[in-house]
Amino acid sequence: MHRGKGMKFVGDSRVKADGRKPNIPKDYSEYPGKTEAFWPNFLLREWMVGAVFLMGYLCLTVAHPAPLEAIADPLEAYIPLPDWYFLFLYQLLKYEFASGDFNVLGTVVIPGVAFGALLLAPWLDTSKERRPHRRPIATSIMLLGVASVVYLTWESVAQHDWEAAAQQGKLVEGAEIDEEAEGFEIYSSQDSCIQCHGDQMTGGAGAPNLLETEKTPEEVIEIIQNGQGAMPADQFTGSEEELQILAEFIANHGQDPE
């Protein structure tokens, strides 16, 4: 090959003198069944699959709506429970060394050290071995992390009060109360009654549902005057006649006894 004829020697290769190639779209027909154009073939197929899954999720949402609970009540105790993949962190906060004044240890320090050790494991053990027993540092860190997560998750599930959790936030049909009765007017005027038993007399944290009581008016008066359990004595501020009316109203399950 003579020099000056559009070719240039570069090492042992011959390339065009200008070094440029025309930008010609690839002919996909050369590879039947092996490749295809991203647009519109591949992208259109992805959109169709996404649309099918989206319609499936919408149908599930309509058929099985999210379970609703009762309106939050600050007077009612609530037992929190995070999703299963956070249960080990939730359990960690139950221990004295990681809660209270040491809350930072349980929320930042201990989880930070644990996850930091997992992130640093490839640099702490730079061996090219792939067998676990040949990489003691990385294997030990991983086994310790997995064992800790499994143990804490198990403890969290075992210690959770599932029966009480099933009842909390449960929707209860509105109680039928005779709000025109004189007994309800007396009940509404007693702040100490409403604070514990609520404005609908259905109770709260540690306070029983007054609409479900089976006590007689005399027993109700005895409890109001002398207290019972967590309920203190001498909280009623009305007259003895009003106390009698209130006791009869409560014993009659929120209805006017007359």
Side-chain angles (χ1 to χ4, degrees):
M1 179 69 66
H2 298 285
R3 296 180 181 275
K5 298 296 183 179
M7 301 297 291
K8 182 183 295 184
F9 285 96
V10 180
D12 58 351
S13 302
R14 297 185 179 115
V15 297
K16 291 288 185 180
D18 55 7
R20 292 181 296 179
K21 293 182 179 180
N23 187 13
I24 302 176
K26 193 171 186 61
D27 185 6
Y28 291 99
S29 62
E30 299 177 6
Y31 308 94
K34 295 183 178 180
T35 184
E36 61 180 346
F38 178 77
W39 169 264
N41 301 18
F42 180 80
L43 194 57
L44 182 60
R45 186 186 300 119
E46 292 294 309
W47 283 350
M48 292 299 296
V49 173
V52 170
F53 275 94
L54 178 60
M55 292 303 299
Y57 283 127
L58 291 177
C59 292
L60 288 175
T61 302
V62 173
H64 302 281
L68 299 179
E69 296 183 351
I71 299 176
D73 186 359
L75 299 178
E76 183 177 351
Y78 188 84
I79 305 174
L81 185 68
D83 291 321
W84 63 269
Y85 44 83
F86 285 132
L87 284 178
F88 68 99
L89 291 175
Y90 172 68
Q91 178 65 21
L92 186 63
L93 297 177
K94 296 181 181 179
Y95 300 124
E96 294 183 1
F97 64 84
S99 61
D101 295 336
F102 308 101
N103 206 24
V104 176
L105 287 177
T107 56
V108 178
V109 177
I110 296 178
V113 171
F115 287 106
L118 293 178
L119 292 175
L120 293 176
W123 287 272
L124 295 176
D125 188 348
T126 58
S127 174
K128 296 182 180 180
E129 289 285 345
R130 303 185 64 179
R131 288 170 290 184
H133 66 278
R134 294 282 188 172
R135 305 190 65 179
I137 298 179
T139 303
S140 300
I141 294 176
M142 180 58 67
L143 290 178
L144 180 61
V146 172
S148 300
V149 171
V150 171
Y151 172 77
L152 291 175
T153 302
W154 175 265
E155 283 292 301
S156 179
V157 173
Q159 295 179 11
H160 187 67
D161 191 345
W162 295 99
E163 294 183 0
Q167 297 299 322
Q168 66 184 10
K170 191 175 182 179
L171 288 174
V172 181
E173 295 183 1
E176 295 183 0
I177 302 176
D178 186 0
E179 298 184 359
E180 302 297 328
E182 184 179 2
F184 183 76
E185 295 180 2
I186 298 173
Y187 176 84
S188 301
S189 65
Q190 302 296 318
D191 293 337
S192 59
C193 296
I194 296 177
Q195 288 177 0
C196 295
H197 299 280
D199 56 353
Q200 295 297 311
M201 307 173 63
T202 54
N209 188 339
L210 298 180
L211 300 177
E212 298 178 352
T213 183
E214 298 298 332
K215 300 184 181 301
T216 63
E218 291 72 19
E219 292 174 332
V220 174
I221 293 176
E222 176 71 17
I223 294 174
I224 293 176
Q225 290 179 336
N226 301 322
Q228 185 181 62
M231 178 179 174
D234 300 327
Q235 295 297 304
F236 186 76
T237 58
S239 62
E240 293 185 1
E241 181 181 358
E242 291 176 334
L243 178 59
Q244 181 66 35
I245 296 174
L246 175 62
E248 294 177 357
F249 177 74
I250 294 175
N252 201 39
H253 308 294
Q255 301 297 320
D256 192 341
E258 299 180 358

